[in-house]
Amino acid sequence: MESRRKQLPVAIGHKLTTLVFFVFIFFWIWKKVSTDLLYHSFGVFMNYPHFIPEWEFISKTAVYPGGISQIINGFCSQLFYYPLIGAGVITFISILLYFITKSLLSLLNKNWARGLAYLPACMLLMTYRLYDHPLVIYIAVLLCLSLARLFLIIPYMNIVIHGIIFGFFYLAGYYAAGGNVAIFLLIVCIYEIKNRETRLAPIVLLLTAASLQSMAGKYLSDMEWDTCFSVLTVFDRNATSSCSKLSIYLLYYITLLVPAVLLLQFIDNLIRSRKPTKPKSVKQPEKVNKTYSFLAFLLHPALISGILFLSIYYSQTSKKGVFEIQAMSRMNEWDKLIQKGNELRLKGLDLVVNLFEIDRALCHTGQMGSRFFAFQQSGQLLLFQGFETSEFTLFDKKRKLNYDLGDMNAAEHWAYETLETQGPCPYILYELAKIHIIKKQPELAKVFLVKLQKDFIWKEKASAFLFKMESDPLLEKDPEISSKRTQMIKNNYAIKDIRIIEYLEQIVKDNPSNRMAFEYLMSLYLLTHKREKIIENIGHIKEMGYDKLPRHYAEAVIIHMSKLKQPVNLNEWQIDQSIFQQYSQIMNTIKMMNMDKKAAFSVLAPNAGDSYFFYSLYNVSGLKP
Amino acid sequence: MNNLLFIILLAGSILIPGCSKSYPESAKKTDQVINIFPDYSSATIPYNVAPLNFKINRKSNAYAVKIHSVKGNSIIITNDTGHIKIPDKAWKNLLDANKGNDLSIDIAIQEDDGWKSFKTIHNTITSDPIDSHIAYRKILPIYNYWSNVGIYDRCIENFDEDAIFEGKRYGNSCVNCHTFNSNNPATLFMGIRSSKYGSHTILAEDKRAEKIGSKWGYTSWHPSGQLASYSINKVRMFYHSARKEVRDVVDLDSAIVYYSLKDKKVKTCDDLSDKKRLETYPTWSPDGKYMYYCSAPILWEDRDTVPPVNYDKVKYDLRRISYDIETDTWGKHETIIKAEDVNKSILLPRISPDGKFLVFCMCDYGCFPIYSPSSDLYIMNLETKEYRKLEINSKYSESWHSFSSNSRWLAFSSKMIDGSLTRSFFAYIDTDGKVHKPFVLPQKDPCYYESCIYTYNVPEMITGPIPASHRTISAAIRGSDQTDITLPLTGATKKADHTSPWKDRE
């Protein structure tokens, strides 16, 4: 009674630490990770975890090994749309992992083991700080650990009954968690070896497990041998696709944590039991316990803080930036996107993957002709020339680009490629509905919208779309739809391999009012130094709604004039004096450096690094701080 | 005791939901036609078809449906959703008792001023049964890349569907050209292309399956079961910039060969492998004396450029060639319909098992009717050689047809519902060759097609489930044993690259 009273503050301390720990995890994920960024990246940077509230989907998924985890993961992943709920989901899973790990490690009767129970939650936090999404494996591990704990509660009767119960649990574990059921097997076997007098039980259990898994995987689910055992584990490429190396190491860790600790303790016990017993020292046990408890009281928060610090330290800011840009693009928040792109550029995180979205944003905000070279442009990156077309992460980007350019057939093509490779991702269903309505295929658009109505996140949006179609079947009154319809390519060509400049020229020729295609074409001319083409098209710029000649086009005109040494017909456009002045400054600087372009580079970059003048000299851009 | 009674009554009300249903006979009758989806009206249906579940396309708070005929009990369904799920047993009894009679559907809905009923919907129940099963390819509308291609057999008498092959289980393999001999499910040929297991053809006879080391194109069994003809194609996909159907396909080079199951050898003849022509879509007459096929001149020199010049001018003739199986000799080909005469491309000939009718597709150009909105079905009386366009065609593509074993039913693929997603339809053909209004493959969920983004392709009617199990077929696919064959010609088809499934479709 006395000792319990003394241990009470320690127990309260532990509980408080746990509470603070999980509250911290929740807030950190909610405010710093923002699960909605992950949601918006599904189908682009990582495979889309499905959840379709249809019996067909649930029944077909559940009968496949690991299917239950897939369903839970699919459902949880949809909740990521809401950062608060998403943080709640991750925290809830980490709490469950903590309790189940703690419960299993308590079998060791070792105080030090308790601290390890925090580790899975830390690993989960670290994984989400890395913006990876292998939640399905965490769920599968959780289910296996829970099954193991449940199984160990069941009293042992005899080997036959024990084997039957084990078989039932094992099969349930296999269908719930796939190959991760090996965790369950390992824990149970170690426990059996440690606690039963007979060594027969683990052998029986191992044989039962191997035969059940083979039967269920190979014969019932018709899987290949290796897939039978690896499905949904860290070895399953589908489950860990797009995960960073560190996340994969964490997955190894989380998978092996409990069995490894149990095994090490068992081996330790085994070694100790074989050593000759020394006479016990005459230290006062009461004092040792007190000291240990005090140390543990201090150690746990310290250990947890250390792990948390490491989790937060190993964060992927660049990946977060990519995801933020992606999310802003999904929401059409173009100004915010450009601002973010600029922030990342200044931090030295201007990854090429962002450039595509930044260029789209510049185009959507009418700044392509004036701020294009404020970012590190590349002729190859604009419009994905020279990229491997089988890279599935590009499919949706190609769809967006073609949609912007008014090439609805190409947009449809890439949307269907995304649908095939990513499954029924709601974004793609919605985009397909839009494309088909623009193409005046309302019946087809409805199929995608009705499908989308089954998604609880998208239900409202799809219903609103369908409701509008009731009174206006072709959405003639919808500004976006009708504007896209006017931009659509009218003349039919048979296409296989596109030559990008000719393709854009054709679009602009067919529809001279297609501003986005025009701007992309002009940017491509600038990037490929085709200044004479800029001059040729200068007459069309007014038709595009510009009130003054965009800066980069003016820069191209000045260079062109200086090379030809004769004036150019500017079609009533005036070139801003400041642009002439910048040109003179650049020329003077180069002259001052004895026409040594290389030496002038660092002098020019701070002031002119965002100009076409600079790009035309050095073929690089975006260097202005 | 009272509690027990209550529980029994409660359980009864849950388990027998139909017992308290009644159709509002006093509903105000109107001449209005009510829309149901799918359109199961004025169609001719077999007595052994699964319940034609449907949705009433009109908003209301309450719906009542009475399905009745001359004999037997009417089926009454009332609900507040308008989703009509017909009880299996009652449906079967009603249809069994009324072969040759009309099947009537009365629909009433509740409005503010009471119940209102609409014009009765009539369908005809024939005494000619439809084959119990259908094998189809169910896929998303794929372009160049595939990850989930599957072939399934589905019982038409109920809603059971079994996977014969699912590509995702074999490293995202692609599967196509499933073919049966005379509607016999125990004779399946199926082409597979896989990055992991290579390209080959699976022959599933009865309960065993074997792998043939080459992927076949469009295949047709000789009725004797001793050989199968197949095409070798160099098919490539390309796209249109402004057409409603984006995809198009061209066959750069092709030929027809035949495989002897006895000798395990592939042979051909000059008429079927003319270097200057494209030969494809072989199909045997039921007596095995003629092979019908399609043939067109090659209009391009360069057999690699996609699309080639004049791709839209390629039009296939319908031809046939005689064959003597005893001596393994071919006759001279004869042209049945010249493309030039009709200014259309004639494709996919299929002959009814009784040998009376030939159904084929005609479209504006090319070799791939499913991507051609102009593709329509035509029927030819093989005695008189007269042919006509079928009344069942829509403004969208109709193609990939097959006959039932009793020649009375035609299964075909059509995009008529929404213009793009292919569905499987069934049409009754009477002994005079008159084709009746078709109905779409029924589904358990009345709203299934409203949100189904999958396409149902190449419907092949078969007389039962495929006896070869999924495991047997998968063992053959994954196994190393295979029959190696050598082609008797060169150049028609480029070998598939086995390193990546992400390749152009062939």
Side-chain angles (χ1 to χ4, degrees), chain A residues 530-547:
Chain A
K530 289 190 169 74
R531 287 181 287 268
E532 69 287 352
K533 290 280 185 184
I534 303 277
I535 314 291
E536 252 177 49
N537 283 285
I538 217 145
H540 301 305
I541 295 174
K542 209 154 236 168
E543 293 162 25
M544 299 295 162
Y546 286 97
D547 50 5

Side-chain angles (χ1 to χ4, degrees), chain B residues 57-333:
Chain B
N57 271 342
R58 184 144 174 165
K59 279 184 183 160
S60 175
N61 296 328
Y63 301 84
V65 171
K66 182 173 155 188
I67 303 167
H68 56 101
S69 187
V70 178
K71 299 171 204 165
N73 293 333
S74 302
I75 302 167
I76 294 165
I77 299 159
T78 57
N79 63 35
D80 58 1
T81 61
H83 302 170
I84 308 303
K85 261 187 166 178
I86 306 164
D88 291 6
K89 204 170 176 192
W91 170 263
K92 199 170 162 26
N93 290 342
L94 186 67
L95 264 62
D96 269 343
N98 288 285
K99 291 171 195 165
N101 292 331
D102 255 19
L103 179 78
S104 306
I105 306 173
D106 292 331
I107 297 175
I109 63 164
Q110 197 170 37
E111 293 198 328
D112 293 342
D113 54 347
W115 285 92
K116 177 181 172 181
S117 71
F118 298 85
K119 239 183 167 175
T120 301
I121 292 168
H122 294 283
N123 291 291
T124 308
I125 308 163
T126 67
S127 52
D128 291 311
I130 196 164
D131 287 341
S132 66
H133 283 70
I134 183 174
Y136 48 68
R137 193 160 89 132
K138 190 164 74 171
I139 50 174
L140 285 167
I142 57 174
Y143 280 62
N144 265 331
Y145 301 89
W146 61 83
S147 64
N148 194 10
V149 175
I151 292 188
Y152 301 84
D153 71 16
R154 155 79 200 268
C155 181
I156 306 173
E157 294 174 348
N158 56 44
F159 303 105
D160 295 345
E161 182 187 72
D162 284 318
I164 303 167
F165 175 93
E166 280 179 325
K168 64 183 176 188
R169 301 196 179 181
Y170 305 90
N172 292 341
S173 303
C174 185
V175 62
N176 50 23
C177 303
H178 52 284
T179 316
F180 301 90
N181 185 6
S182 313
N183 308 84
N184 180 359
T187 55
L188 163 69
F189 272 122
M190 179 167 76
I192 287 165
R193 189 161 63 248
S194 162
S195 58
K196 200 165 180 182
Y197 303 105
S199 294
H200 48 254
T201 299
I202 293 293
L203 166 60
E205 278 190 298
D206 292 321
K207 290 185 175 178
R208 59 189 181 81
E210 68 171 284
K211 181 156 76 173
I212 300 167
S214 127
K215 192 196 158 285
W216 298 0
Y218 309 113
T219 308
S220 177
W221 280 88
H222 187 273
S224 66
Q226 293 175 34
L227 62 92
S229 303
Y230 66 92
S231 62
I232 307 169
N233 311 81
K234 191 176 176 180
V235 176
R236 295 289 181 269
M237 189 185 272
F238 60 98
Y239 313 102
H240 287 273
S241 62
R243 203 174 78 165
K244 279 255 161 70
E245 174 56 79
V246 182
R247 295 162 292 181
D248 205 343
V249 159
V250 64
D251 195 350
L252 294 169
D253 197 359
S254 62
I256 293 172
V257 295
Y258 63 107
Y259 174 74
S260 163
L261 275 80
K262 201 174 151 194
D263 309 338
K264 300 195 185 298
K265 274 187 183 160
V266 181
K267 303 172 196 171
T268 189
C269 73
D270 290 347
D271 269 0
L272 298 176
S273 54
D274 187 337
K275 290 266 179 197
K276 290 178 182 167
R277 293 187 71 89
L278 302 160
E279 296 89 4
T280 191
Y281 294 124
T283 194
W284 285 95
S285 62
D287 58 10
K289 289 179 178 165
Y290 289 97
M291 190 184 79
Y292 288 72
Y293 64 102
C294 304
S295 171
I298 300 177
L299 303 178
W300 44 83
E301 289 294 314
D302 178 357
R303 296 188 188 188
D304 290 314
T305 301
V306 181
V309 290
N310 298 321
Y311 75 89
D312 55 350
K313 292 186 178 63
V314 174
K315 289 173 180 146
Y316 287 77
D317 298 330
L318 178 63
R319 289 180 169 185
R320 73 172 185 179
I321 186 166
S322 60
Y323 178 68
D324 184 351
I325 196 159
E326 298 300 324
T327 56
D328 187 21
T329 47
W330 295 86
K332 277 307 279 177
H333 78 262

Side-chain angles (χ1 to χ4, degrees), chain B residues 240 243-249 344-345 347 361-377 394-400 413 415 419:
Chain B
H240 287 273
R243 203 174 78 165
K244 279 255 161 70
E245 174 56 79
V246 182
R247 295 162 292 181
D248 205 343
V249 159
K344 294 260 180 195
S345 188
L347 303 161
C361 294
M362 282 218 270
C363 58
D364 290 346
Y365 69 88
C367 65
F368 216 64
I370 198 123
Y371 294 158
S372 175
S374 62
S375 172
D376 285 320
L377 295 175
S394 70
K395 61 178 175 176
Y396 302 109
S397 164
E398 273 77 30
S399 60
W400 289 117
S413 295
K415 300 184 176 184

Side-chain angles (χ1 to χ4, degrees), chain A residues 17-230:
Chain A
T17 312
T18 311
L19 184 70
V20 170
F21 174 78
F22 286 111
V23 168
F24 177 82
I25 283 196
F26 172 75
F27 276 99
W28 190 269
I29 291 173
W30 178 27
K31 291 292 176 191
K32 292 286 177 185
V33 174
S34 289
T35 55
D36 57 326
L37 295 182
L38 283 153
Y39 183 87
H40 293 304
S41 75
F42 291 154
V44 183
F45 296 115
M46 57 181 79
N47 286 320
Y48 190 82
H50 302 289
F51 182 77
I52 307 163
E54 286 174 355
W55 175 243
E56 195 184 354
F57 163 76
I58 291 169
S59 59
K60 279 192 174 172
T61 314
V63 295
Y64 201 70
I68 308 289
S69 296
Q70 299 267 30
I71 294 169
I72 299 170
N73 175 52
F75 178 73
C76 291
S77 301
Q78 312 310 307
L79 298 172
F80 281 20
Y81 183 80
Y82 307 104
L84 180 78
I85 302 175
V89 166
I90 296 171
T91 313
F92 181 64
I93 290 169
S94 64
I95 291 170
L96 293 179
L97 273 168
Y98 164 76
F99 278 113
I100 200 69
T101 310
K102 190 178 157 192
S103 167
L104 281 163
L105 294 180
S106 69
L107 294 172
L108 298 173
N109 286 324
K110 300 281 176 193
N111 274 335
W112 56 265
R114 196 186 294 158
L116 296 175
Y118 288 101
L119 287 177
C122 290
M123 304 297 125
L124 197 57
L125 174 69
M126 206 188 277
T127 303
Y128 279 95
R129 281 295 289 160
L130 294 166
Y131 286 90
D132 288 329
H133 183 59
L135 191 68
V136 67
I137 299 182
Y138 280 93
I139 292 169
V141 170
L142 174 67
L143 292 175
C144 289
L145 295 177
S146 310
L147 274 177
R149 189 69 196 96
L150 203 63
F151 181 76
L152 297 182
I153 294 169
I154 298 170
Y156 182 86
M157 280 167 269
N158 62 54
I159 195 150
V160 178
I161 295 173
H162 201 58
I164 291 169
I165 297 171
F166 172 82
F168 174 76
F169 270 69
Y170 196 82
L171 265 185
Y174 189 48
Y175 280 98
N180 293 296
V181 73
I183 300 171
F184 166 76
L185 174 68
L186 281 172
I187 295 170
V188 172
C189 282
I190 294 165
Y191 187 82
E192 294 288 330
I193 295 168
K194 192 179 159 220
N195 295 295
R196 306 259 178 263
E197 284 175 10
T198 168
R199 294 284 181 265
L200 189 64
I203 296 165
V204 170
L205 298 186
L206 270 170
L207 289 173
T208 311
S211 49
L212 281 175
Q213 195 156 345
S214 310
M215 187 194 76
K218 178 79 185 148
Y219 294 101
L220 295 181
S221 299
D222 192 29
M223 296 164 95
E224 293 169 51
W225 278 115
D226 54 341
T227 320
C228 261
F229 294 93
S230 69

Side-chain angles (χ1 to χ4, degrees), chain A residues 395-421:
Chain A
F395 293 171
D396 191 47
K397 292 188 181 297
K398 288 185 176 189
R399 190 265 309 158
K400 287 182 198 173
L401 180 71
N402 287 299
Y403 183 84
D404 285 349
L405 296 176
D407 186 347
M408 283 309 137
N409 275 14
E412 179 186 327
H413 168 192
W414 291 111
Y416 277 116
E417 299 287 24
T418 316
L419 183 70
E420 177 65 19
T421 50

Side-chain angles (χ1 to χ4, degrees), chain A residues 475-498:
Chain A
L475 296 186
E476 311 267 15
K477 292 173 202 150
D478 185 289
E480 185 189 345
I481 302 291
S482 52
S483 129
K484 281 288 158 203
R485 215 172 263 153
T486 55
Q487 274 183 15
M488 269 175 73
I489 296 178
K490 305 285 185 301
N491 298 323
N492 190 43
Y493 322 104
I495 305 161
K496 176 68 180 173
D497 298 312
I498 295 168

